[in-house]
Amino acid sequence: CVCVWVVLGLLLACAATLCSSAVVPEQTVSLLFAQTAGDLNEFPKQGETVVVNPWHYLHRMSMNRLMIASTAPFMGSMGPNPSDGCMWGLPMQLSWLLNSGRLADPTGQTTCGVETEDRMCISPNSWWACQNYFVSAIPFLCAAEQGMLGAGVMVQMENPDGFEEYCTTYADCSAKYPEVVAKWDAFYQGLKASVDSTLPDNEKKDALLGLFWDGQMTSMRTAAVCKAKQSSYSPVETSFANNWMVSAEYVAGARFHFNLDNAVMFAAPMPTRLLKEGDNPPDIADLTTEENHTLTTFSWINSINNALGGTLVNLWHRAMCSVSTREKGRDMMSQLMLNPAFATNTFVSIITEMVINC
């Protein structure tokens, strides 16, 4: 229908306006949003190609800002404000990684990312930075390909020598990681198709969150190519990283809605430094009670899953079988992560009951 394409064109024009907007939400001060690019024209160019340096924090954060702005007009089912979109977890994650020192070179061979040297530098040797690349650079390249950033936009990522795991263009990523690209393409296509959807807002929101988490988790699982980089960290940090990855399975299964408020709330209790030998949560003295609780909860979730041969994750995904159960799942994950008084045995018993009712 011609009218649908007219509406879609207006939404994309609105997205372009948002991208160049100077209005920055107050909660994003810690992200350094005000220092990031609000428009593609602020990036350097080689001919007609926009060149992004994903190994500089402000460039990588700029990609998040532009993705949020360009998708906001399509996310009315999630709330009336730009801060209600579902992509706010991505910049919050990147900010946490910067401020906790996890983007720095763990090998010590360079000063990249070191607080007193080159803090804005993101090291390609960092496991955390590598994992984050798959949920920042690739979805950004897909957003450009799908016209979210404007018609005919071409983007290329800078890449340091000797790191073949990082793809640099849409074509390169499609060749190296076709499943990741396909999932992010489907997300952006789903956003545009939602303009014509007659679904109630709660079902439309649930469907869009499903597409988003398909892209997010496919990216995170594909980031297994980063695994060797974990050898540069302490066993305690490596264990936390693996626990964090498993915890993401539960958040994704519930199709958690990381709007800005939720993203801020869930980022707050994340550990504010790299873990070292001798750290033993919940008794790490220089971390807060909330940070110790997060580490303990992540560890518990993974240990129970391992003890059950991986069946707890499968059980959780089976329990998340409808819009209503996923809404309950989101509330339960919030309780588990943010409320130290929430009993872990209650978590397992509720999952079992939910599976029976599916």
Side-chain angles (χ1 to χ4, degrees):
C1 176
V2 174
C3 64
V4 172
W5 289 105
V6 170
V7 172
L8 185 58
L10 288 171
L11 286 171
L12 286 169
C14 179
T17 301
L18 279 171
C19 283
S20 60
S21 172
V23 177
V24 177
E26 182 180 351
Q27 300 99 311
T28 64
V29 171
S30 66
L31 309 182
L32 306 182
F33 247 40
Q35 299 178 40
T36 60
D39 190 287
L40 278 176
N41 291 325
E42 297 177 45
F43 288 105
K45 278 189 172 184
Q46 289 182 354
E48 295 301 312
T49 301
V50 175
V51 179
V52 180
N53 178 10
W55 307 107
H56 191 283
Y57 174 83
L58 293 178
H59 272 225
R60 196 177 288 200
M61 186 58 82
S62 294
M63 290 192 286
N64 287 319
R65 180 180 178 183
L66 293 171
M67 285 190 290
I68 287 169
S70 66
T71 56
F74 300 91
M75 293 195 184
S77 61
M78 301 193 189
N81 301 309
S83 60
D84 293 321
C86 66
M87 301 189 79
W88 284 100
L90 302 181
M92 283 298 166
Q93 178 192 123
L94 183 61
S95 175
W96 163 62
L97 293 177
L98 174 76
N99 292 318
S100 65
R102 288 179 167 86
L103 297 177
D105 187 348
T107 68
Q109 296 175 357
T110 72
T111 59
C112 180
V114 175
E115 179 78 27
T116 56
E117 299 287 340
D118 191 2
R119 184 170 182 256
M120 294 293 107
C121 177
I122 297 177
S123 173
N125 289 319
S126 162
W127 177 85
W128 292 98
C130 182
Q131 178 278 329
N132 182 265
Y133 190 91
F134 284 81
V135 296
S136 56
I138 295 180
F140 187 77
L141 290 167
C142 292
E145 179 69 18
Q146 294 302 319
M148 302 300 295
L149 305 176
V153 171
M154 295 181 292
V155 179
Q156 179 166 348
M157 302 291 160
E158 294 184 20
N159 194 43
D161 293 336
F163 292 90
E164 298 303 318
E165 63 270 34
Y166 301 115
C167 56
T168 58
T169 65
Y170 180 84
D172 185 25
C173 293
S174 296
K176 286 182 178 176
Y177 307 112
E179 188 179 1
V180 178
V181 168
K183 294 293 186 181
W184 284 111
D185 281 349
F187 168 61
Y188 295 120
Q189 291 162 7
L191 278 176
K192 290 186 281 188
S194 69
V195 172
D196 198 32
S197 174
T198 58
L199 288 173
D201 273 355
N202 70 320
E203 293 183 26
K204 187 186 295 187
K205 171 184 173 179
D206 183 74
L208 292 176
L209 287 172
L211 291 172
F212 171 77
W213 281 109
D214 277 350
Q216 177 84 347
M217 293 311 298
T218 304
S219 286
M220 291 182 71
R221 293 169 190 141
T222 304
V225 299
C226 308
K227 186 73 174 177
K229 300 178 191 296
Q230 288 190 343
S231 63
S232 298
Y233 297 93
S234 71
V236 188
E237 178 71 14
T238 300
S239 178
F240 163 59
N242 294 333
N243 295 341
W244 178 78
M245 289 285 287
V246 171
S247 299
E249 294 283 352
Y250 296 89
V251 175
R255 300 185 182 178
F256 202 87
H257 179 197
F258 277 114
N259 59 23
L260 180 54
D261 287 341
N262 284 338
V264 170
M265 183 169 57
F266 272 77
M270 295 297 286
T272 48
R273 63 163 173 80
L274 285 164
L275 303 182
K276 59 183 185 293
E277 202 68 52
D279 284 338
N280 185 28
D283 300 314
I284 303 177
D286 64 335
L287 296 186
T288 66
T289 301
E290 292 76 17
E291 290 169 58
N292 273 287
H293 172 70
T294 295
L295 292 169
T296 304
T297 301
F298 282 7
S299 178
W300 176 84
I301 288 175
N302 198 16
S303 63
I304 291 296
N305 186 60
N306 289 336
L308 297 175
T311 58
L312 187 60
V313 167
N314 295 332
L315 197 65
W316 175 257
H317 282 286
R318 283 171 53 199
M320 300 295 103
C321 62
S322 68
V323 174
S324 61
T325 58
R326 286 190 286 272
E327 287 174 349
K328 293 176 183 175
R330 289 193 282 272
D331 181 63
M332 189 160 56
M333 285 304 299
S334 295
Q335 289 292 319
L336 182 66
M337 298 303 301
L338 302 174
N339 180 8
F342 186 75
T344 50
N345 60 333
T346 302
F347 180 73
V348 177
S349 64
I350 293 175
I351 294 176
T352 305
E353 181 182 346
M354 292 170 76
V355 170
I356 293 171
N357 293 331
C358 274

